Amino acid sequence: MSGDGTAGGAPGLGPGESGPYPLHSSAADPSTETIGYRGPTACAAAGITYRQLDYWARTGLVEPSVRPAYGSGTQRLYSFRDVVVLKIVKRFLDTGVALQNIRAAVQHLRECGFRDLERMTLMSDGATVYECSSPDEVVNLLQGGQGIFGIAVGVVWRDVEAALSQLHGERVDTGETLVGHNPADELARRRNRAV
């Protein structure tokens, strides 16, 4: 996709054809999200500050899809997909892509099917963001001189998955805190016993 939000990139696979990243069983339909992640957890998994998270939510760059904040005292809840997008935004910012182009990329990611994200590679020359869903598309883009760096969304996906497995989630239906695999965190276990 280009900086103005139009699709960009090289010719490649057609709809339904597999990209460079295999699917795994953790891919879920975002409409059936039963686990949300509070702001501090989303920040830790995405490698951003709470100030960035808050600003991005208030400006509509990346809003929580599970539960937005409804005033003081309510907690935003981010889905797994939201956290993946947060980490992608962070990587784009770190490489100097303009915020306007990042907004166009985020809008495109929102429109993509949930399973499509894991197969995607995003390439950029700093001014334009291109979506590639096959190794051939990446090669064609590089041969054309357009791509300087790439973000393999499947790798980001797995990084976020690993980070969130160590952190805490929250069941959307019951509010129960789901303890990550971090054995050093006794607080969440105590909180669950008290409920």
Side-chain angles (χ1 to χ4, degrees):
M1 78 209 95
S2 67
D4 63 4
T6 60
L13 297 176
E17 292 183 58
S18 181
Y21 304 106
L23 289 173
H24 52 84
S25 60
S26 67
D29 179 354
S31 65
T32 62
E33 288 287 341
T34 58
I35 300 173
Y37 302 95
R38 291 180 179 228
T41 300
C43 289
I48 61 174
T49 66
Y50 193 84
R51 188 174 185 170
Q52 287 174 306
L53 180 80
D54 184 55
Y55 178 73
W56 296 347
R58 286 186 291 110
T59 60
L61 179 61
V62 183
E63 297 173 294
S65 64
V66 176
R67 184 177 65 212
Y70 293 111
S72 64
T74 60
Q75 292 282 325
R76 295 179 185 117
L77 282 182
Y78 290 83
S79 69
F80 173 79
R81 179 185 175 133
D82 296 336
V83 179
V84 170
V85 172
L86 288 168
K87 191 166 183 92
I88 290 169
V89 169
K90 165 84 163 94
R91 290 205 175 162
F92 275 135
L93 285 173
D94 288 349
T95 56
V97 175
L99 192 56
Q100 176 185 352
N101 296 333
I102 294 172
R103 284 188 185 281
V106 167
Q107 180 60 36
H108 180 72
L109 291 173
R110 284 184 188 139
E111 295 166 358
C112 290
F114 191 67
R115 293 183 176 268
D116 294 339
L117 285 183
E118 194 179 16
R119 300 179 194 157
M120 189 183 298
T121 298
L122 299 173
M123 303 289 292
S124 180
D125 57 6
T128 306
V129 177
Y130 303 91
E131 173 193 335
C132 300
S133 57
S134 74
D136 291 339
E137 288 180 339
V138 173
V139 169
N140 289 342
L141 192 61
L142 291 171
Q143 286 175 340
Q146 291 138 320
I148 293 177
F149 67 89
I151 299 173
V153 179
V155 173
V156 173
W157 179 292
R158 287 185 285 281
D159 288 350
V160 168
E161 198 170 49
L164 289 175
S165 74
Q166 300 294 312
L167 301 169
H168 307 306
E170 182 177 315
R171 285 190 55 93
V172 175
D173 53 352
T174 64
E176 173 189 4
T177 299
L178 302 173
V179 181
H181 299 295
N182 186 347
D185 191 352
E186 182 64 23
L187 179 61
R189 280 190 285 282
R190 288 182 187 179
R191 191 179 310 133
N192 280 337
R193 282 195 298 256
V195 174

